Amino acid sequence: MTGSLHIDWTRCDGRGLCTELLATLLTRDDWGYPISRRGDGIRGEVPIAPGHEEAAREAVILCPKLALTLRPPAKSS
Amino acid sequence: MNEAAWAVGRVSGFVALFLFTGSVLLGIASRSGRPVFGLPRFSVTLLHRNVALLGTVFLALHVGTLLLDPLARLNPIDLLVPFLGAFRPFWQGLGTVALDLVLAVVITAFLRHRIGQRAFKAAHWFTYVAWPVALAHAVGNGTNGTDKLFLVSAAASVAAVAGAVLWRLSPTFLETARARQSLAGEERPR
Amino acid sequence: MTTPSAALRNVHPVPPPAGAARLFLAGSRAGYSQHLQAYGSIDVGAVAPGFLDVVEASGLTGRGGAAFASWRKMAAAAQAGGRGLFSARPVVIANGAEGEPLSHKDAALLAHAPHVVLDGVLVAAAALQTSHAYIYVTAETMPSVQSALAERTDARHIRPVEADDTFISGEASAVVNKIQGGPSLPLDKLRRLSDAGLRGRPTLVLNVETLAHIGLLARFGVDWFRSVGTARDPGTRLVTVAGAGTDQVLEVPGDASLHGILRSSGIHPEELSAVLVGGYHGRWVRPLDYRLSPAGSPETLVRPGVGVIYVLSPDQCGLAVTAQITEYLAGQSARQCGPCMFGLRAMADVLNRLADGERDPRLVAELERLGRIVSGRGSCHHPDGTVRMVSSALETFSDDVREHLIGRCTRIQRGTR
């Protein structure tokens, strides 16, 4: 487990940069917003599969709305 | 040695301006939220950023070499306060204005995650002032600023940026949620 | 570890109320003296952090919708308050916004028994060792709350804040947002409110009814609290029964039967076709042999949510009503989160087409698909709750769906839609 990508939905505008960078994890929904391909990632916590950490970091930096945050692996919630 | 510094100072100024022109165009393209020229959106953003940073490096080279060059008679104070220069103070002052605006834009861009989107965007609007001022500085202050070749390329740059700005102002420019929503015929109360 | 009863050293000369009538014992529009007469006085100073054990032993769950264990919420805020270099004092917020259009139970409580709620606020604040407390209520109930605050000397520090009249104004982070000077819109939950809520302080947001139970619990103890209801759902709860000509607030025992609640509000099972339990984010059920409890199997129980029981009369089309409710909920989206802003609108449109008798069998699959992409993708539970309600409608009104898809509605001929 390598942590997750937290999406702040109140900021996300569906610009699509993260879905390009993390194309194997994310796709765009009917309205352009990022959605997990595997159907997980409830409440905007998208688990980052191993090997995608760098792209996830890049997505956080490049998100034009500053809507993304990297979260360390959750202990338990 | 002085000759070399003088040459580097002039050429780096032109290169910086050229790169900033490209960065402005790429910035407007990335703001549209669309892939441009077959490049994915994040590439447009990265290219915009990297071209701007390269332009800043050349800008530093331009200012640094001319600072060292006795011919240019540039004072460190001229980097901060415009219109005090010894040689064509008005046109050199425009260079100072552009330099300071570029620094503000670059520094706030680096601190975007810290200062937040609002402050970042506010500072980024400075580019629309910095770019024409820098161009005017090049035409008015540059040794070759009034050469035909330079004037032609300056005119081309103005046309390109003006075109991009017109696109920017057109109603179909943004591909954002709000735009998608107004396509769906909805009003967003704000 | 203190034993639960050891935390209670409150003198109560008044015998504890027997039966399921607990919250409104002081009578209609009770002032402070009637309140003291009915419940006796309470020594808030004697409430210590050990009171959290009492709340845990009582099994009290939140009455604002999510039915989360109240002691857990309190303990989270208490722990966050004690952590770190600068241990910030927690904040207690009594939430009486009650955005559900059909719900009146919090309004009734604040109008008739404001002092029971205020006692609860004082007790919760004492248990968290803080004096930062707010009471967040609608314009309608504000006068009653203000006069109750003015009537007693021990509640002067509880600051009343007016809630906006919107569906989501009572969402916990929207409450915090509004009190700290922002709009009453939900916030992103990167950090929990119990860790960093109002101006960064550990924040405890509890429904006013939950706090009322806490106030009585501090007086009369765990055994008394659990003497009504069942082990999985102890105590009492307020419900609003609405629809089919009825509109009333009742106090019912925990784990009560839906049938019994309807009967005691004067509704005969043959006078209705289905009920929506838990408010607009609730669940449509039919028939009525369910019990109202937050814990247990969904086969036999239905979660009380905000306590609204909406009765659908036989001449109403369940699909049409569901479409109207979804339409309303789509309009009440804070329009901050894209999937909610667009998705609820899209769901309402499909439901309207279904309700209007469009004969396209793909409509149901489309609703289910929209539900999957909307659910869980927002900063609050508004999209999830809406999706749950809609999918329960598809299940409960599956006959009506079939009829509509062949161009008939069994209800339309008889009147409304």
Side-chain angles (χ1 to χ4, degrees):
Chain A
M1 191 56 195
T2 48
S4 61
L5 195 63
H6 172 83
I7 302 170
D8 178 346
W9 291 112
T10 65
R11 290 189 180 184
C12 177
D13 196 27
R15 296 289 184 82
L17 274 80
C18 58
T19 52
E20 290 171 341
L21 279 161
L22 294 161
T24 51
L25 301 183
L26 294 172
T27 179
R28 297 178 93 180
D29 68 10
D30 295 21
W31 312 283
Y33 297 92
I35 186 167
S36 168
R37 282 191 185 272
R38 292 194 303 172
D40 53 9
I42 289 304
R43 202 150 297 288
E45 301 295 325
V46 181
I48 301 164
H52 292 84
E53 296 88 348
E54 194 47 49
R57 257 191 296 280
E58 195 87 312
V60 171
I61 293 169
L62 290 180
C63 174
K65 302 299 269 185
L66 295 180
L68 300 174
T69 318
L70 277 183
R71 282 232 233 208
K75 285 151 266 167
S76 65
S77 59
Chain B
M1 184 57 211
N2 280 347
E3 281 299 310
W6 178 240
V8 169
R10 282 163 52 209
V11 170
S12 57
F14 286 125
V15 175
L17 182 61
F18 177 76
L19 290 169
F20 282 135
T21 306
S23 180
V24 167
L25 294 173
L26 285 163
I28 292 174
S30 74
R31 182 68 187 88
S32 83
R34 294 166 214 273
V36 182
F37 306 127
L39 286 175
R41 297 171 181 83
F42 71 88
S43 299
V44 177
T45 304
L46 274 176
L47 205 59
H48 161 63
R49 184 185 78 184
N50 293 345
V51 168
L53 285 179
L54 198 61
T56 310
V57 169
F58 276 95
L59 179 61
L61 207 61
H62 170 64
V63 175
T65 48
L66 293 183
L67 205 56
L68 294 177
D69 181 14
L71 251 173
R73 287 181 291 164
L74 203 61
N75 266 322
I77 188 80
D78 292 331
L79 302 186
L80 285 174
V81 186
F83 313 121
L84 297 181
F87 174 71
R88 297 193 193 172
F90 173 72
W91 298 104
Q92 186 188 302
L94 291 184
T96 305
V97 170
L99 170 74
D100 294 347
L101 290 175
V102 166
L103 286 180
V105 170
V106 170
I107 290 168
T108 52
F110 270 115
L111 295 176
R112 187 168 73 107
H113 283 258
R114 214 161 274 213
I115 60 175
Q117 190 73 352
R118 210 177 265 260
F120 159 78
K121 270 191 141 174
H124 237 67
W125 281 107
F126 290 161
T127 39
Y128 288 106
V129 179
W131 185 80
V133 167
L135 186 72
H137 160 74
V139 172
N141 215 30
T143 314
N144 310 97
T146 43
D147 278 10
K148 201 172 218 167
L149 183 67
F150 180 76
L151 284 181
V152 167
S153 58
S157 304
V158 169
V161 171
V165 168
L166 284 179
W167 177 43
R168 171 88 177 76
L169 296 173
S170 70
T172 55
F173 171 71
L174 286 177
E175 196 252 6
T176 62
R178 213 168 293 183
R180 291 191 291 268
Q181 188 184 12
S182 57
L183 282 181
E186 296 239 4
E187 289 269 306
R188 183 190 168 96
R190 262 281 138 149
Chain C
M1 173 127 177
T2 46
T3 58
S5 56
L8 292 171
R9 283 192 209 90
N10 305 315
V11 197
H12 40 84
V14 174
R22 292 180 164 182
L23 297 168
F24 295 109
L25 286 186
S28 171
R29 310 226 161 244
Y32 195 42
S33 56
Q34 287 107 302
H35 170 71
L36 290 178
Q37 227 162 40
Y39 296 102
S41 61
I42 182 172
D43 181 8
V44 173
V47 175
F51 181 68
L52 294 187
D53 299 331
V54 177
V55 181
E56 180 175 7
S58 76
L60 174 66
T61 54
R63 304 297 199 234
F68 195 72
S70 302
W71 74 271
R72 273 188 205 278
K73 259 192 179 182
M74 296 174 81
Q79 274 161 19
R83 229 184 282 142
L85 215 55
F86 309 98
S87 53
R89 293 251 174 227
V91 182
V92 175
I93 301 174
N95 183 3
E98 199 171 35
E100 285 273 341
L102 296 178
S103 184
H104 307 303
K105 59 125 181 150
D106 292 341
L109 189 64
L110 291 167
H112 298 295
H115 291 288
V116 185
V117 176
L118 295 181
D119 282 352
V121 178
L122 296 177
V123 168
L128 265 57
Q129 294 182 289
T130 183
S131 58
H132 292 280
Y134 294 85
I135 184 161
Y136 178 76
V137 296
T138 58
E140 180 202 351
T141 46
M142 186 58 97
S144 150
V145 169
Q146 269 168 341
S147 63
L149 285 171
E151 265 185 297
R152 53 201 286 178
T153 53
D154 59 347
R156 292 273 155 82
H157 59 284
I158 303 177
R159 275 163 283 183
V161 176
E162 190 177 308
D164 292 346
D165 186 22
T166 61
F167 188 80
I168 44 137
S169 64
E171 197 272 337
S173 67
V175 174
V176 167
N177 199 351
K178 174 78 181 184
I179 295 178
Q180 63 193 11
S184 49
L185 300 177
L187 301 165
D188 180 51
K189 311 280 191 313
L190 190 58
R191 297 184 68 190
R192 263 172 281 182
L193 292 177
S194 58
D195 288 334
L198 190 74
R199 289 184 261 276
R201 289 173 186 276
T203 302
L204 173 69
V205 183
L206 286 175
N207 171 259
V208 286
E209 185 198 337
T210 314
L211 284 162
H213 289 296
I214 286 174
L216 296 184
L217 178 63
R219 274 193 172 79
F220 304 121
V222 171
D223 293 342
W224 167 83
F225 183 83
R226 298 186 70 97
S227 66
V228 168
T230 62
R232 68 176 180 185
D233 187 24
T236 64
R237 71 164 40 81
L238 297 178
V239 295
T240 312
V241 182
T246 301
D247 192 1
Q248 51 187 310
V249 173
L250 303 176
E251 184 171 9
V252 301
D255 217 349
S257 91
L258 188 51
H259 210 279
I261 295 173
L262 290 168
R263 212 175 272 280
S264 52
S265 35
I267 290 168
H268 296 290
E270 56 276 13
E271 285 172 11
L272 58 85
S273 76
V275 282
L276 175 60
V277 180
Y280 284 177
H281 284 169
R283 175 182 163 203
W284 285 104
V285 290
R286 175 169 65 190
L288 307 175
D289 47 353
Y290 285 93
R291 304 194 81 82
L292 210 60
S293 163
S297 154
E299 311 273 295
T300 55
L301 70 84
V302 53
R303 295 169 60 87
V306 293
V308 171
I309 297 172
Y310 173 69
V311 181
L312 188 73
S313 53
D315 60 350
Q316 285 178 293
C317 171
L319 290 175
V321 171
T322 302
Q324 280 159 17
I325 294 175
T326 311
E327 183 92 45
Y328 168 82
L329 292 173
Q332 290 293 314
S333 165
R335 310 177 86 68
Q336 297 191 109
C337 310
C340 177
M341 172 165 72
F342 292 107
L344 299 194
R345 179 79 260 145
M347 290 184 81
D349 289 345
V350 178
L351 268 165
N352 274 327
R353 287 161 65 191
L354 191 61
D356 288 345
E358 187 174 316
R359 295 160 73 168
D360 186 344
R362 290 171 303 180
L363 291 178
V364 175
E366 173 63 1
L367 263 182
E368 284 163 354
R369 186 189 72 86
L370 286 170
R372 274 195 304 279
I373 63 173
V374 166
S375 195
R377 295 175 68 231
S379 74
C380 77
H381 289 280
H382 188 58
D384 323 7
T386 307
V387 169
R388 265 201 314 274
M389 187 276 295
V390 170
S391 65
S392 78
L394 291 180
E395 196 178 312
T396 300
F397 302 118
S398 55
D399 293 351
D400 302 68
V401 170
R402 258 196 307 279
E403 295 289 312
H404 274 245
L405 288 178
I406 55 171
R408 285 195 307 227
C409 176
T410 46
R411 322 275 168 192
I412 283 172
Q413 302 93 317
R414 288 202 251 166
T416 45
R417 143 66 201 159

